[in-house]
Amino acid sequence: RIQGYARSTLRDGVRQLTEFFVRPGSQSAGLGRELLQRAFPADSSRARILLATPDTRALVRYLKTGLSARFPVFHFHRSRRTLSHPAELRVHRLTDSPNDVEQLAAIDREILGFSRDPDHRWLLSQREGYLYHLGDRLAGYGYVGRYSGPFATLDPALIGPILTHAESASPEEEFGMEVPLINRAALDYLLGAGYRMDDFVNYFASDVAIGDLERYLVTTPSFFL
């Protein structure tokens, strides 16, 4: 009988733990340690990251592997509205064309510190994706659908206009996203627009400092960055 499992991805030299579960009756017996040694080894990547739930035993296990919790991530949501975005913000519907994928990779390399083409191709099969330009300048990207996110912007001042468009483009009655609490521009926009903050929290953890998540909103649900 399966007692637990773990899964990770390796993208551009960065390993991310995406799933880690052990049956309650089998916890605290060393199974989690063995799973992490195989799925999340410290010597197989230039950086390791994960989004951790506030389960104390799991957090202790992650900390023992050399990770540090960098900041919390909370879900914000509200009833969807139809809004107009600034005319100077140009919106392009994403495809899996080489040009679009390369632009996504360029944004990710600057903001996250690594590219992840397979993740974007999967997101494009599940959600509507958009590239944003300010004039001729690449500004960011975002996804909407049954679940929203991730969102990334090269200029923090544009997170409000990008989320304004995304909220209007969403097919759902409720619109929400996962927000790193270090993203001040997003917090200012969301709190000013009447979004509600849920109680549940994740923690972004890594073994080295990586990424600039002051310009990023996490994928919903937050199994991966």
Side-chain angles (χ1 to χ4, degrees):
R1 186 184 181 196
I2 294 176
Q3 299 302 311
Y5 75 94
R7 187 196 328 251
S8 66
T9 61
L10 184 63
R11 305 285 189 248
D12 197 15
V14 175
R15 185 171 295 281
Q16 181 168 191
L17 185 69
T18 59
E19 291 160 281
F20 177 52
F21 298 100
V22 177
R23 289 183 183 274
S26 297
Q27 293 175 3
S28 302
L31 179 58
R33 180 182 65 250
E34 294 296 327
L35 284 170
L36 288 179
Q37 286 177 355
R38 289 161 172 77
F40 203 50
D43 58 354
S44 65
S45 57
R46 62 184 175 90
R48 291 178 300 146
I49 62 175
L50 64 84
L51 289 158
T53 64
D55 180 87
T56 303
R57 284 178 293 184
L59 282 172
V60 169
R61 178 59 58 201
Y62 301 144
L63 297 175
K64 284 183 176 179
T65 70
L67 272 67
S68 298
R70 307 285 174 174
F71 47 80
V73 178
F74 278 84
H75 184 75
F76 285 73
H77 63 99
R78 64 157 298 144
S79 298
R80 185 183 64 82
R81 302 163 296 170
T82 300
L83 306 166
S84 59
H85 60 275
E88 60 269 25
L89 186 70
R90 295 196 296 110
V91 181
H92 165 71
R93 177 72 180 271
L94 274 167
T95 70
D96 62 355
S97 69
N99 182 63
D100 284 3
V101 172
E102 177 50 39
Q103 291 189 81
L104 291 168
I107 296 170
D108 280 342
R109 282 191 292 267
E110 177 169 337
I111 293 178
L112 300 181
F114 63 98
S115 60
R116 45 177 187 165
D117 295 355
D119 297 337
H120 281 293
R121 289 195 170 94
W122 181 83
L123 286 164
L124 285 168
S125 73
Q126 304 293 315
R127 308 175 187 191
E128 294 182 5
Y130 298 93
L131 272 176
Y132 299 96
H133 291 78
L134 190 64
D136 294 329
R137 178 166 56 91
L138 184 62
Y141 66 74
Y143 292 88
V144 300
R146 180 183 178 189
Y147 300 108
S148 295
F151 295 92
T153 176
L154 298 173
D155 181 354
L158 294 177
I159 191 61
I162 286 173
L163 291 179
T164 295
H165 168 265
E167 181 179 347
S168 300
S170 173
E172 300 297 310
E173 292 299 319
E174 192 83 0
F175 179 68
M177 72 290 298
E178 311 293 327
V179 183
L181 290 197
I182 61 169
N183 190 328
R184 187 69 250 177
L187 292 174
D188 288 344
Y189 170 77
L190 296 170
L191 294 173
Y195 279 78
R196 298 181 297 279
M197 180 177 171
D198 286 345
D199 292 334
F200 183 75
V201 59
N202 277 323
Y203 296 97
F204 174 76
S206 65
D207 58 355
V208 297
I210 186 172
D212 179 10
L213 273 76
E214 294 182 14
R215 298 184 287 169
Y216 187 80
L217 303 181
V218 175
T219 308
T220 305
S222 52
F223 292 122
F224 63 93
L225 200 60

